[in-house]
Amino acid sequence: MGIPPVVTENRPPPVPAPPRSTRSEARAALKDSAGVGLGFLPLGLAFGALVTQSGLDWWWAGLSAVLVFGGSFEFLLIGMVTASAPLAAIAVSALLVNVRHVFYTLSFPLHRVKGRIGKAYSTYAMCDEAYALATGEQARTWSSRRILWLQFFLHLYWAISSTVGALLGSLIPDGVTGLDFALTALFTVLALDAVRDLRGDVPTPVVAVLSALAARLLFPGQMLLAAFTLFTAALLARHLTTSRKPRHA
């Protein structure tokens, strides 16, 4: 007696899920950036008020926010512009203040951003807040459009709040205090979120604190650059040390 042939069903291959539309990616990025956008509001208002109180026209705030987008450097730039500082001094100051972005590129997901224009804008619009959001645990599956929309919204928050702050700068009384602490509070919240994403990796924040303390004691004049350098060197040394350990089956 022969064995009957096995009947197989000709099932069509599974259809991959369609990519999310641009509109849905924009909505998701808007939701992701909303919390940081609220933190940008008092900072932008303070920066815009500083622009007008320094004797510059109100449109300087929006122009700086769109073209420079340098955060803390923009506050420094206002004083240098009003003091007629030479371009060489402004360029060196910009390098020292924003040199931390060189270290950001080591882990920022720029490889997931598509197109030359997209990569160029992502590099230009990479701020501290965008880095903190795009390198978190929840952002590992973000698409190119979602990353770009996130950076665009952060850029937009800063430009709008700075312009509004410049327009309303004359209405803000001189006795208002606490706006200068908004940036520190925002970075503290982002740092706590990043530590929670580490899921028990305690040595990393410990290395960061030790690097900051060593930079403060050894290089007080260049603390930020020295701290990032020490932190990066420590992470590279730890990676090389752990990668050389034999793996047991």
Side-chain angles (χ1 to χ4, degrees), residues 5-115:
V6 178
V7 179
T8 59
E9 299 180 1
N10 294 327
R11 297 180 179 178
V15 179
R20 301 182 64 178
S21 64
T22 302
R23 183 175 299 179
S24 61
E25 295 282 10
R27 285 198 299 264
L30 181 61
K31 182 179 178 180
D32 298 328
S33 61
V36 176
L38 292 177
F40 272 12
L41 181 60
L43 295 176
L45 293 176
F47 172 70
L50 177 63
V51 169
T52 55
Q53 292 177 2
S54 299
L56 299 175
D57 294 330
W58 66 268
W59 50 266
W60 274 95
L63 184 65
S64 174
V66 172
L67 298 182
V68 180
F69 194 47
S72 56
F73 173 68
E74 290 185 63
F75 284 87
L76 177 63
L77 180 63
I78 296 302
M80 301 184 73
V81 169
T82 55
S84 300
L87 291 178
I90 295 177
V92 172
S93 300
L95 175 63
L96 294 178
V97 173
N98 295 320
V99 71
R100 64 189 184 279
H101 290 174
V102 176
F103 301 97
Y104 287 174
T105 58
L106 298 176
S107 54
F108 189 81
L110 189 62
H111 61 281
R112 299 210 307 265
V113 179
K114 299 179 180 179

Side-chain angles (χ1 to χ4, degrees), residues 5 54 71 89 202 206:
S54 299
V202 178
V206 172

Side-chain angles (χ1 to χ4, degrees), residues 186-244:
L186 177 61
F187 284 157
T188 301
V189 174
L190 292 175
L192 292 176
D193 290 339
V195 170
R196 282 189 308 204
D197 286 341
L198 293 176
R199 294 182 178 179
D201 187 13
V202 178
T204 298
V206 172
V207 170
V209 173
L210 293 178
S211 300
L213 292 177
R216 181 68 178 88
L217 295 175
L218 300 177
F219 309 98
Q222 300 292 336
M223 177 182 173
L224 186 61
L225 176 60
F228 271 108
T229 303
L230 293 174
F231 182 59
T232 303
L235 292 180
L236 290 175
R238 187 181 69 174
H239 175 71
L240 293 175
T241 302
T242 55
S243 61
R244 290 177 181 178

